[in-house]
Amino acid sequence: NAGVTQTPKFRILKIGQSMTLQCTQDMNHNYMYWYRQDPGMGLKLIYYSVGAGITDKGEVPNGYNVSRSTTEDFPLRLELAAPSQTSVYFCASSSTGDMMSQHFGDGTRLSIL
Amino acid sequence: GESVGLHLPTLSVQEGDNSIINCAYSNSASDYFIWYKQESGKGPQFIIDIRSNMDKRQGQRVTVLLNKTVKHLSLQIAATQPGDSAVYFCAEADTGANSKLTFGKGITLSVRP
């Protein structure tokens, strides 16, 4: 099993550009999450989903959008990239309601210049 | 607001020694805690968890201690090995509220050969 796969691993964007960070999992997990990790800071929850067709805002959702059309995929969209969105983004998934079993991808390092 | 934090940003230990990593939390309602290990370029990996009805829990070479009186959590690693070098961070959750994890900032453990 591949687990949680994130693409791309690295990306540099110009201010105002848009992009989609891809996340897919092959564990048939219902719950999926997007976090950002800034230097010297803890992970902050951006959005999460408890199942296909259902998404909810986390702690820092502004400037991002998500969709969950399938159980496997949970893409994160940046519409107008801003320097404040420079960060490392992690996607995670878990079986229903079990925080202990959150599996993380290896992250996407995003720089906005 | 509530926060989870770590006392020291870095910890250097001799290979073979025991390591102790500390974490303070401020949400008295938190009843579930997790320690994660994050290697360079990778996503966080679950190490061990503990619920608030316990004071101590042991895994393979790791022990987590919880002191609810002073809101303090620690991770002890026995016989530290070079492969233990990583960033470690704690996370907390109030499972009676929203069951979302709040992550600490992280501490770097460096193992000297």
Side-chain angles (χ1 to χ4, degrees), chain B residues 20-43:
Chain B
I20 300 176
I21 302 171
N22 297 307
C23 176
Y25 66 95
S26 57
N27 185 358
S28 57
S30 291
D31 60 355
Y32 181 63
F33 306 86
I34 301 177
W35 278 101
Y36 287 95
K37 174 185 181 182
Q38 186 176 17
E39 297 176 319
S40 180
K42 299 290 186 180

Side-chain angles (χ1 to χ4, degrees), chain A residues 33 35 37 40-45 48 57-59 88 90 97-107 109, chain B residues 32 34 36 38 41-46 49 51 57 87 89 92-93 95 98-106:
Chain A
Y33 313 80
Y35 296 92
Q37 185 178 41
M41 301 296 290
L43 293 166
K44 300 289 186 185
L45 182 65
Y48 67 102
K57 295 178 180 179
E59 185 181 355
V88 181
F90 288 100
D98 184 359
M99 285 179 284
M100 180 184 77
S101 67
Q102 276 197 36
H103 295 253
F104 285 83
D106 287 338
R109 186 174 296 275
Chain B
Y32 181 63
I34 301 177
Y36 287 95
Q38 186 176 17
K42 299 290 186 180
Q45 290 179 287
F46 170 89
D49 65 341
R51 299 192 182 275
R57 190 165 188 221
V87 173
F89 53 90
E92 57 154 344
T95 59
N98 56 27
S99 293
K100 295 184 186 60
L101 290 168
T102 298
F103 292 85
K105 296 179 183 179

